[in-house]
């Protein structure tokens, strides 16, 4: 007897991050000293998020290929620069009114500059590449190799510093990006190291998700529920509109920009990492983690719907604009409309064949 545990978890948007995070939060809410009670390796699972994330970023860095084509450099660079610029602008505005601490009252109680910047800075790479692959845009999917530089706390630290909030020492900034750089060096010097390290990226996600969850009290989730949904919608609208414009400016049709308007599951780890680097953000970190996790769910649900709707609109207006890349065609990839048309044609052909057989059978009857 086997249970489809993995398939069940993956039905939840960002499930490999969010389900273990929720499990950790349930355990922490029921008994906050569980990790200390058991100690040893079990205790390490409850408190080892930073170590697991360090391994995660080394493996993630190994997947980044510095030998990108001009198209990938232009598309990925435009989307990466746009996300960073938007986060900086929003960070400057919110930093002026809120500062480092979260709002302590009213409808926006719990929101912080840290939460909003962390939600804006990191794209859900798996979702982006899946959408681009679905539409036969293999070169656009490959642009994430450059966009993945946004992973981790480094870009959020830079944004908070530029926004005029509590800055970070240069050693801390370098330490935040060093695991990613080490992974990049290893992966680009030796393709076998990339092949060895890359599969560990998804493996690490549920473990640091659980460890982060053990620092969350579910009592704060109820108060942050609607606010988290609002944050997700804010990320979708602000990121979606600006990335759409950036994609069009570099010669794209806007699909890649819309597909990148999401929050990555591992972005929920950023508030804790930032707070570990600078105690000024400790007060905001716990609620920021919950808010960013909510943004992950909201954007993971809505981005595919909006991207597909825009794709169908492009298909109606100009089918040539949505033609798949030659490489995707050679690989057998087809956009959803083409796949549906092919499936309809195959069904019609099968129906016609069955009709011919029936007619032939009737013709042979006495």
């Amino acid at each position: 007897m086997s249970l489809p545990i993995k398939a069940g978890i993956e039905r939840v948007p960002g499930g490999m991050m969010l389900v273990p995070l929720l499990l950790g939060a349930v355990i922490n809410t029921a008994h906050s000293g569980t990790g200390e009670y058991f100690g040893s390796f079990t205790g390490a699972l409850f408190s080892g998020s930073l170590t697991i994330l360090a391994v995660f970023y080394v493996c993630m860095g190994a997947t980044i290929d510095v030998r990108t084509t001009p198209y990938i450099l232009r598309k990925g660079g435009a989307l990466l620069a746009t996300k960073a610029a938007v986060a900086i602008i929003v960070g400057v505005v919110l930093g002026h009114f809120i500062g480092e601490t979260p709002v302590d009252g009213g409808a926006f109680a719990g929101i912080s500059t840290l939460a909003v910047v962390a939600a804006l800075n990191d794209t859900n790479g798996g979702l982006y590449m899946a959408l681009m692959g679905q539409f036969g845009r293999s070169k656009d999917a490959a642009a994430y190799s450059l966009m993945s530089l946004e992973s981790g706390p480094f870009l959020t630290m830079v944004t908070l510093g530029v926004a005029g909030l509590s800055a970070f020492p240069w050693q801390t900034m370098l330490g935040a990006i060093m695991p990613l750089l080490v992974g990049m060096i290893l992966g680009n010097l030796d393709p076998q190291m990339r092949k060895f390290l890359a599969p560990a990226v998804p493996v690490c996600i549920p473990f640091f998700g659980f460890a982060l969850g053990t620092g969350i009290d579910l009592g704060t989730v109820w108060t942050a529920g609607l606010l988290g949904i609002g944050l997700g919608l804010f990320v979708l609208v602000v990121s979606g509109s600006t990335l759409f414009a950036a994609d069009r400016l570099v010669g794209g049709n806007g699909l890649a920009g819309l597909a990148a308007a999401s929050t990555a599951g591992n972005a929920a780890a950023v508030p804790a990492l930032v707070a570990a680097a600078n105690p000024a953000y400790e007060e905001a970190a716990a609620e920021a983690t919950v808010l960013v996790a909510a943004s992950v769910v909201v954007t993971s649900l809505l981005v595919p719907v909006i991207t597909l709707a825009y794709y169908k609109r492009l298909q109606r207006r100009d089918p040539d604009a949505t033609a798949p890349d030659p490489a995707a065609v050679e690989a057998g990839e087809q956009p959803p409309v083409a796949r549906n048309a092919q499936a309809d044609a195959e069904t019609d052909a099968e129906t016609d064949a069955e009709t011919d057989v029936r007619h032939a059978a009737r013709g042979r009857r006495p």
Side-chain angles (χ1 to χ4, degrees):
M1 177 182 176
S2 63
L3 294 175
I5 297 174
K6 182 173 180 290
I9 292 175
E10 289 177 338
R11 288 194 183 99
V12 180
M16 278 299 177
M17 171 73 185
L18 297 180
V19 171
L21 186 144
L22 179 60
L23 176 61
V26 168
I27 294 173
N28 181 63
T29 304
H31 187 268
S32 59
T34 303
E36 292 83 356
Y37 179 79
F38 288 103
S40 189
F41 300 120
T42 301
L45 278 176
F46 279 72
S47 60
S49 60
L50 294 182
T51 303
I52 299 170
L53 281 163
V55 175
F56 172 80
Y57 288 122
V58 171
C59 298
M60 171 69 80
T63 67
I64 301 173
D65 191 348
V66 297
R67 294 166 296 184
T68 56
T69 66
Y71 179 89
I72 293 173
L73 185 64
R74 183 174 70 251
K75 177 63 68 77
L79 297 178
L80 175 63
T82 300
K83 287 215 85 169
V86 168
I88 288 173
I89 293 171
V90 172
V92 169
V93 174
L94 290 180
H96 177 73
F97 292 102
I98 300 177
E100 296 94 346
T101 58
V103 175
D104 58 4
F108 294 97
I111 197 70
S112 62
T113 308
L114 174 61
V116 178
V117 169
L120 283 169
N121 260 336
D122 204 348
T123 296
N124 187 329
L127 178 63
Y128 171 81
M129 289 187 287
L131 288 171
M132 292 297 96
Q134 181 183 1
F135 301 134
R137 313 295 298 178
S138 58
K139 290 195 297 183
D140 286 345
Y144 185 72
S145 62
L146 187 61
M147 293 165 61
S148 60
L149 288 171
E150 68 193 7
S151 298
F154 176 76
L155 198 56
T156 298
M157 289 180 178
V158 171
T159 303
L160 294 172
V162 172
L165 304 178
S166 294
F168 301 84
W170 70 266
Q171 299 96 324
T172 302
M173 298 286 287
L174 180 60
I177 200 172
M178 190 174 290
L180 197 72
L181 293 176
V182 169
M184 287 177 61
I185 293 170
L186 290 173
N188 283 276
L189 287 179
D190 184 1
Q192 290 301 314
M193 286 298 294
R194 174 180 294 137
K195 187 176 179 181
F196 171 70
L197 293 170
V201 172
V203 174
C204 293
I205 292 174
F207 292 100
F208 71 69
F210 176 80
L212 289 170
T214 59
I216 295 174
D217 185 341
L218 286 178
T220 64
V221 175
W222 298 108
T223 59
L226 290 177
L227 197 58
I229 294 172
L231 177 60
L233 294 174
F234 176 80
V235 170
L236 182 63
V237 172
V238 174
S239 289
S241 57
T242 53
L243 291 172
F244 177 84
D247 189 15
R248 296 295 296 267
L249 285 174
V250 295
N253 55 19
L255 271 176
L258 291 177
S262 59
T263 301
N266 54 284
V270 170
L273 292 172
V274 171
N278 190 330
Y281 297 97
E282 283 183 357
E283 186 180 350
E287 286 183 286
T289 299
V290 175
L291 291 171
V292 174
S295 179
V296 173
V297 176
V298 171
T299 56
S300 295
L301 288 173
L302 295 182
V303 163
V305 175
I306 293 172
T307 307
L308 181 59
Y310 180 65
Y311 176 85
K312 290 181 176 179
R313 181 187 176 194
L314 286 176
Q315 276 277 6
R316 290 193 299 268
R317 294 177 58 186
D318 184 8
D320 292 336
T322 56
D325 299 331
V329 174
E330 291 175 7
E333 296 177 9
Q334 290 179 298
V337 174
R339 285 198 300 271
N340 293 341
Q342 182 180 4
D344 292 342
E346 290 173 354
T347 302
D348 292 342
E350 290 173 1
T351 303
D352 292 342
E354 291 172 0
T355 302
D356 292 342
V357 170
R358 286 197 299 271
H359 287 168
R362 291 193 188 100
R364 287 195 298 270
R365 290 176 182 171

